[in-house]
Amino acid sequence: MTESLSLVIPLWNEEKNIPSLIESIQNSGLSLSENFELILVNNGSQDQTGYLIDQAAKTRPWIHNVHLDRNLNYGGGIQVGIEKSKNNFVGFIPGDLQVAPSDVVVLWETCLNMIKNGQKEFLVKGFRAKRYDGISIQFVSFVYTFLANLILKIHTKDLNALPKIFNKSLYFKIHGTKINTFVFDAQMMLTAKQQNTAVYELPVMFHARREGVSSWSGKRMKVYFQSFRLLLKLRRENY
């Protein structure tokens, strides 16, 4: 079977970003890859997100749309997209243009080179070598990665950095209930550790959000405490 990539992007009220997102993916050359598919998950949006991705899919056969009646959170949207995917490798990024499709290309080319050399079980991810978000957010990200490494013993440079690309079979090896928040990244990394799956981290750039409102806005502290509790839950269930 030819190794092909399904790229999942969960979207919640991203109508302002969708035209640029589609254009940037098309310009990256990803859509020219054999059997490439872009899975856009309309994650219970209340704006024109659903309409815009439907319009985009009409002229682009490599776009597959998924519409959810309600928001299933970050992790939930990604999980639905993965389960709908047809290829044996999957990756995911956000829809806010903070992760560039050009970095997906670099990571996928790395994957193809490893496959060519006989390696098929791995997880390739980014780490944010350059970041254009706020200092306070960067600090919290550093602390979160530190705590996750301490609690779950996963040894990653930058836990929630994207893209992440891996063999889809790894997703189905997750132990226990799949987490539908940002802690899903930690759950994937823990699963890789448990399965002795090699993890490779490559430098990427994290751009500032151009349009729209972050789903974290107004509830950051709540999300931080919830994430810490879920990390502890993962440890109890897996150690």
Side-chain angles (χ1 to χ4, degrees):
M1 178 179 180
T2 301
E3 311 297 352
S4 302
L5 175 66
S6 296
L7 181 63
V8 177
I9 303 182
L11 300 163
W12 181 71
N13 294 343
E14 293 287 2
E15 63 179 6
K16 294 182 179 179
N17 285 317
I18 288 172
S20 296
L21 176 67
I22 300 297
E23 181 182 11
S24 64
I25 290 173
Q26 192 160 308
N27 290 343
S28 74
L30 279 169
S31 61
L32 301 177
S33 302
E34 187 170 2
N35 297 325
F36 171 78
E37 67 172 348
L38 174 65
I39 301 178
L40 299 176
V41 181
N42 174 22
N43 202 355
S45 299
Q46 298 174 332
D47 61 1
Q48 294 297 305
T49 293
Y51 170 78
L52 290 172
I53 64 175
D54 283 345
Q55 292 301 112
K58 287 180 179 179
T59 56
R60 299 169 180 84
W62 44 274
I63 294 181
H64 296 159
N65 298 349
V66 179
H67 295 277
L68 305 180
D69 293 333
R70 61 186 180 88
N71 186 284
L72 297 184
N73 215 319
Y74 165 85
I78 291 170
Q79 290 158 28
V80 170
I82 291 174
E83 290 168 10
K84 295 283 187 181
S85 66
K86 68 179 183 182
N87 290 325
N88 52 349
F89 277 85
V90 295
F92 57 89
I93 61 172
D96 55 15
L97 299 173
Q98 291 186 278
V99 177
S102 57
D103 280 325
V104 179
V105 172
V106 172
L107 267 65
W108 179 233
E109 288 177 347
T110 299
C111 293
L112 291 175
N113 286 332
M114 289 193 292
I115 293 167
K116 189 182 298 183
N117 292 328
Q119 189 172 357
K120 291 191 177 182
E121 297 293 333
F122 52 79
L123 185 153
V124 176
K125 64 180 292 294
F127 73 87
R128 291 167 283 195
K130 290 186 178 181
R131 300 184 60 156
Y132 294 94
D133 52 351
I135 295 298
S136 61
I137 297 174
Q138 292 182 37
F139 174 74
V140 170
S141 176
F142 171 82
V143 172
Y144 177 60
T145 296
F146 173 81
L147 289 174
N149 283 334
L150 183 67
I151 294 169
L152 302 178
K153 305 173 186 178
I154 52 179
H155 310 299
T156 180
K157 294 179 182 178
D158 187 357
L159 176 55
N160 278 9
L162 299 173
K164 287 184 174 71
I165 300 176
F166 47 90
N167 193 298
K168 187 165 69 173
S169 61
L170 183 65
Y171 169 80
F172 294 104
K173 295 174 183 176
I174 291 175
H175 173 72
T177 303
K178 295 179 179 67
I179 293 174
N180 68 350
T181 71
F182 288 92
V183 182
F184 175 68
D185 287 75
Q187 192 172 36
M188 282 302 312
M189 295 294 288
L190 177 59
T191 302
K193 172 183 168 62
Q194 293 172 328
Q195 298 298 320
N196 294 315
T197 298
V199 175
Y200 301 92
E201 298 189 83
L202 303 179
V204 298
M205 184 179 296
F206 191 63
H207 301 265
R209 172 180 270 272
R210 300 185 196 176
E211 302 283 356
V213 179
S214 169
S215 60
W216 286 47
S217 296
K219 57 179 182 180
R220 291 189 185 278
M221 294 309 298
K222 180 180 179 180
V223 170
Y224 298 153
F225 285 119
Q226 179 191 46
S227 298
F228 181 68
R229 289 196 299 269
L230 287 171
L231 289 176
L232 292 176
K233 180 175 183 289
L234 281 176
R235 179 181 176 89
R236 289 195 302 270
E237 292 179 348
N238 289 277
Y239 288 98

